[in-house]
Amino acid sequence: MCGIFAYLNFHANKERRHILEVLFNGLRRLEYRGYDSAGIAIDDSLSPLHSTSSPPPLVFRQAGNIESLVNSVNQEITNTDLNLDEVFYFHAGIAHTRWATHGEPAPRNSHPQSSGPGDDFLVVHNGVITNYEVLKETLVRHGFTFDSDTDTEVIPKLAKFVFDKANEEGEQTVTFCEVVFEVMRHLEGAYALIFKSWHYPNELVACKRGSPLLLGVKELDQDKSNNHVFKDAHFLSKNEHPKEFFLSSDPHALVEHTKKVLVIEDGEVVHLKDGGVSILKFERRNGSSRPASVERALSVLEMEVEQINKGKYDHYMQKEIHEQPESLTTTMRGRLIRGGGSRKPKAVLLGGLKDHLKTIRRSRRIVFIGCGTSYNAALASRPILEELSGPIYREDTAVFVSQSGETADTLLALEYARENGALCVGITNTVGSSIARKTHCGVHINAGAEIGVASTKAYTSQIVVMVMLALAIGSDTISSQTRREAIVDGLLDLPNKVREVLKLDEEMKDLAQLLIDEQSLLVFGRGYNYATALEGALKVKEVSLMHSEGILAGEMKHGPLALVDENLPIAVIATRDACFSKQQSVIQQLHARKGRLIVMCSKGDAASVSSSGSCRAIEVPQVEDCLQPVVNIVPLQLLAYHLTVLRGHNVDQPRNLAKSVTTQ
């Protein structure tokens, strides 16, 4: 996955210094999407508004994180005496932060990728072009040479080939959009693309298929440069009002500039020119592409700048762990009915599903689809769904769980489910995401912006949403009413329980200090907390770079027991639930083999799980069994965080990983 960003100012006097800072800050907001290399392209000098060409742009590319690029650009500016005070009445700049898929992190593999000498066309890309090898062979036969190992490089070279061919054939001047449409006609795979060309000064063209892309629009007051509130048509139409346009992989890079956004749909081509926005739809019919004009409305971002800042915390992951009492409260706000006697029982109200609950209840089966942390959240919620939903019939309901709403594998499963007639339910943290738009109904988890690559608060909010889904599905079953009301009570008190367990922060830091030099950690769980074992091990693995495995405790004797000795640290989750006695047996067997144990238990159970102080006990508050995974994961999140910081690794940007996997 990668992050792409673009900034175009129209009739708005902006210094080159300001333009560079906007591009750099946009990349900083997107760095969780990729941080092994980065690059930008800006205009060399001011071009007349209606000029047919301009000098080739300035392109800067660098391996490493965003600050490596910033330092490289500053050095280049010093060496070339580039005027940072030059004012641009209009300017189009593009930027990219990369997570390597094709080719090692290196300047030649960084974006923007170029059409060749002269940089006639430049492209930034998020996604994967699956037929790039065939396109590359064709372009090589036509005399093009390739400098990178990327799949992206075929795109700007294909654009130049299309442009040159149109000019050779003496056709009427080909438009920028027409060039991009012809390029899209040859591309296969997933992509979000932004094109820049000195043949089309002061213009940008963006398009997408399968990868996320948003347009932000900010209109400036001619006198005070303040935001105005205009109708959508005024924002998007061509006029002389000073404007700023922003293109971004996600809203984090837009919210500090504007809340007026357009979520670009698959197959749409967005053309920024002369202060206006043209939107065309790319459709393949009978082997040919037919552009059709599209009218779209702007929407308002439900996000504040404070959500994407670290505040008093050192790292985003730390902030997001400690935000969980508030994020859980927000997840449940307005959805829990406290009840008031026999006439109004305790229940849940999920507005996004209320028209579909009868269909879900009649389903032949309910299938949950998720990847990584979202899979673990679904696994943690599965038992309560099975308990409360009862028998189901007829067709399938498929529930798609994704923090970003853009996970590529989950989206493919969604397409398959839709094609085969399943009712598709989305559970995401991102309004306007692909999963949110393509499912028939769904629930937004309202956990707030999550910047750290390792998901924390989104995981616990996903569990809570799926527990509420189970309550909603089973709400017409009289026999489970007492159980449902106990769960509602537990949900209402859950943020307080999480605040309580967050007080273990220093204790988990001390434990991390003891484990700092270890190479491996096993985590045993069972029942509701098998998912906790998987997710806890995943957190440790993701950020601290320590090998860690979550293991079903019932499988201990089928292989994992062979690894046990006095050196290997082993965590066992043994809080009070139906599996407690079995977990006690596991602890005894591990202790008999001199296992180095860390046991998570309910408050007051330390003595019963740690005979003669033979293991380190971590006591957590006891809640309803189906909610216990929300409480139990927090100490493991804290452990992963402190292990990472103590080992000197980047906790928010772990090696080789990015926030959401939008390519396969």
Side-chain angles (χ1 to χ4, degrees):
M1 188 182 69
C2 303
I4 61 178
F5 184 78
Y7 169 55
L8 187 151
N9 59 288
F10 173 80
H11 282 194
N13 291 333
K14 300 295 180 182
E15 295 178 345
R16 177 178 276 120
R17 189 189 317 276
H18 172 83
I19 291 165
L20 283 170
E21 197 56 32
V22 170
L23 292 172
F24 288 147
N25 280 337
L27 291 183
R28 290 184 182 109
R29 297 300 191 193
L30 298 173
E31 193 167 16
Y32 71 90
R33 300 179 64 92
Y35 36 89
D36 59 37
S37 55
I40 62 169
I42 59 174
D43 289 338
D44 188 3
S45 61
L46 192 63
S47 306
L49 179 58
H50 299 292
S51 172
T52 56
S53 66
S54 64
L58 302 173
V59 181
F60 305 92
R61 300 186 296 185
Q62 185 64 34
N65 59 21
I66 304 304
E67 296 314 310
S68 298
L69 173 68
V70 173
N71 293 335
S72 174
V73 172
N74 288 337
Q75 185 62 50
E76 186 72 17
I77 288 171
T78 301
N79 294 340
T80 59
D81 294 325
L82 188 67
N83 183 8
L84 291 177
D85 297 321
E86 182 176 358
V87 175
F88 289 80
Y89 196 45
F90 23 77
H91 180 282
I94 59 176
H96 186 273
T97 179
R98 184 170 182 256
W99 186 43
T101 54
H102 294 76
E104 66 181 2
R108 65 189 178 86
N109 290 325
S110 304
H111 298 201
Q113 283 291 305
S114 170
S115 57
D119 295 325
D120 295 62
F121 290 87
L122 294 168
V123 169
V124 289
H125 171 212
N126 174 30
V128 172
I129 304 303
T130 54
N131 65 331
Y132 81 98
E133 291 179 332
V134 174
L135 294 174
K136 185 173 181 178
E137 290 173 3
T138 302
L139 289 165
V140 167
R141 287 198 300 270
H142 284 86
F144 285 87
T145 58
F146 284 75
D147 301 312
S148 78
D149 301 317
T150 69
D151 57 329
T152 304
E153 193 178 0
V154 301
I155 302 172
K157 284 180 165 51
L158 185 57
K160 179 167 173 54
F161 176 77
V162 170
F163 178 82
D164 289 346
K165 187 177 180 182
N167 287 337
E168 287 170 7
E169 293 175 355
E171 296 179 2
Q172 290 184 340
T173 304
V174 63
T175 68
F176 204 173
C177 258
E178 288 170 339
V179 171
V180 173
F181 268 111
E182 185 61 19
V183 170
M184 289 177 70
R185 197 170 67 82
H186 290 87
L187 298 181
E188 296 176 5
Y191 54 78
L193 304 170
I194 305 175
F195 292 77
K196 175 178 172 64
S197 172
W198 56 262
H199 295 288
Y200 304 97
N202 315 309
E203 299 181 38
L204 290 176
V205 177
C207 60
K208 71 166 291 256
R209 180 188 294 148
S211 295
L213 191 61
L214 296 92
L215 168 70
V217 185
K218 179 180 181 180
E219 188 144 7
L220 305 174
D221 184 275
Q222 289 178 311
D223 298 320
K224 299 179 181 180
S225 295
N226 290 327
N227 265 329
H228 267 290
V229 177
F230 292 99
K231 294 182 179 179
D232 292 347
H234 188 75
F235 263 108
L236 300 179
S237 62
K238 293 182 180 181
N239 56 58
E240 298 302 309
H241 291 284
K243 295 189 189 75
E244 292 177 299
F245 297 100
F246 308 86
L247 289 158
S248 174
S249 297
D250 65 36
H252 296 135
L254 301 180
V255 65
E256 63 190 288
H257 300 291
T258 180
K259 289 191 175 183
K260 288 283 189 177
V261 300
L262 182 79
V263 179
I264 301 171
E265 301 283 355
D266 278 358
E268 288 184 346
V269 177
V270 175
H271 189 190
L272 306 182
K273 181 181 179 182
D274 297 339
V277 180
S278 301
I279 305 172
L280 299 172
K281 184 76 171 180
F282 177 86
E283 295 179 331
R284 280 196 171 101
R285 294 180 181 175
N286 300 322
S288 63
S289 57
R290 296 176 56 190
S293 181
V294 177
E295 290 189 5
R296 295 286 308 283
L298 293 166
S299 56
V300 179
L301 275 180
E302 298 296 332
M303 180 183 290
E304 301 298 333
V305 175
E306 290 74 17
Q307 291 183 269
I308 57 176
N309 292 329
K310 293 176 188 174
K312 64 180 181 180
Y313 297 98
D314 295 326
H315 303 94
Y316 282 113
M317 183 178 180
Q318 181 188 29
K319 171 179 178 275
E320 288 153 12
I321 290 172
H322 286 271
E323 280 179 342
Q324 287 176 111
E326 290 73 30
S327 62
L328 290 170
T329 299
T330 306
T331 296
M332 294 183 283
R333 183 172 291 128
R335 292 168 170 171
L336 292 180
I337 300 172
R338 295 174 179 267
S342 57
R343 291 187 178 182
K344 193 175 182 182
K346 297 168 184 174
V348 301
L349 176 64
L350 300 176
L353 298 183
K354 64 180 181 179
D355 295 333
H356 300 272
L357 280 174
K358 288 184 179 179
T359 303
I360 296 173
R361 291 186 186 117
R362 293 198 304 266
S363 298
R364 181 173 59 91
R365 60 177 180 170
I366 301 176
V367 181
F368 282 78
I369 298 94
C371 296
T373 289
S374 297
Y375 169 84
N376 294 338
L379 190 65
S381 311
R382 175 179 172 176
I384 193 62
L385 278 148
E386 291 176 335
E387 176 185 339
L388 296 183
S389 62
I392 49 181
Y393 308 98
R394 298 187 187 174
E395 301 304 320
D396 293 348
T397 293
V399 183
F400 298 88
V401 189
S402 169
Q403 187 279 140
S404 67
E406 302 290 350
T407 309
D409 294 322
T410 307
L411 276 168
L412 279 176
L414 170 56
E415 296 296 337
Y416 177 83
R418 282 182 63 98
E419 289 170 3
N420 286 275
L423 174 66
C424 297
V425 180
I427 296 178
T428 84
N429 194 36
T430 311
V431 174
S433 63
S434 295
I435 288 176
R437 297 196 312 274
K438 293 180 179 180
T439 46
H440 298 107
C441 57
V443 184
H444 186 249
I445 69 171
N446 291 327
E450 190 178 66
I451 308 298
V453 166
S455 181
T456 51
K457 63 179 182 176
Y459 173 76
T460 50
S461 286
Q462 284 173 341
I463 293 175
V464 165
V465 163
M466 284 183 276
V467 170
M468 291 193 293
L469 173 61
L471 292 170
I473 292 172
S475 62
D476 61 345
T477 306
I478 296 175
S479 60
S480 64
Q481 182 172 327
T482 301
R483 167 74 158 151
R484 293 198 311 273
E485 295 198 353
I487 294 171
V488 172
D489 287 337
L491 285 168
L492 290 167
D493 193 40
L494 190 57
N496 291 329
K497 298 298 185 185
V498 173
R499 286 189 188 93
E500 187 178 338
V501 81
L502 281 168
K503 295 176 183 178
L504 293 171
D505 192 14
E506 283 300 317
E507 183 177 341
M508 300 315 296
K509 185 176 181 179
D510 292 341
L511 178 58
Q513 189 69 59
L514 295 176
L515 300 177
I516 190 172
D517 295 321
E518 299 300 329
Q519 299 301 310
S520 189
L521 173 70
L522 300 185
V523 187
F524 285 92
R526 191 193 299 257
Y528 279 104
N529 284 297
Y530 173 43
T532 306
L534 292 176
E535 177 62 13
L538 178 60
K539 289 284 105 45
V540 170
K541 186 187 307 180
E542 280 181 319
V543 293
S544 74
L545 311 186
M546 175 194 290
H547 171 259
S548 184
E549 292 297 328
I551 297 173
L552 183 63
E555 296 290 325
M556 181 183 66
K557 294 181 179 178
H558 297 277
L561 199 58
L563 298 173
V564 178
D565 60 23
E566 65 274 15
N567 298 314
L568 177 67
I570 301 171
V572 181
I573 303 166
T575 46
R576 290 270 177 176
D577 59 20
C579 298
F580 179 63
S581 61
K582 292 182 179 179
Q583 290 300 83
Q584 284 182 305
S585 175
V586 166
I587 293 167
Q588 291 167 0
Q589 293 177 63
L590 292 171
H591 177 62
R593 289 160 178 82
K594 300 182 180 180
R596 185 179 167 193
L597 299 183
I598 303 158
V599 178
M600 186 184 299
C601 62
S602 300
K603 275 199 170 179
D605 278 348
S608 63
V609 300
S610 177
S611 57
S612 305
S614 58
C615 64
R616 179 158 184 153
I618 301 164
E619 292 187 302
V620 298
Q622 185 173 349
V623 295
E624 285 291 315
D625 54 4
C626 62
L627 302 178
Q628 197 71 51
V630 174
V631 170
N632 291 358
I633 194 58
V634 176
L636 297 175
Q637 292 173 341
L638 291 168
L639 175 63
Y641 170 76
H642 288 300
L643 260 177
T644 306
V645 174
L646 290 171
R647 288 163 72 114
H649 301 308
N650 189 328
V651 71
D652 288 330
Q653 298 167 357
R655 184 178 67 194
N656 298 335
L657 299 179
K659 182 63 181 170
S660 65
V661 182
T662 59
T663 58
Q664 293 181 295

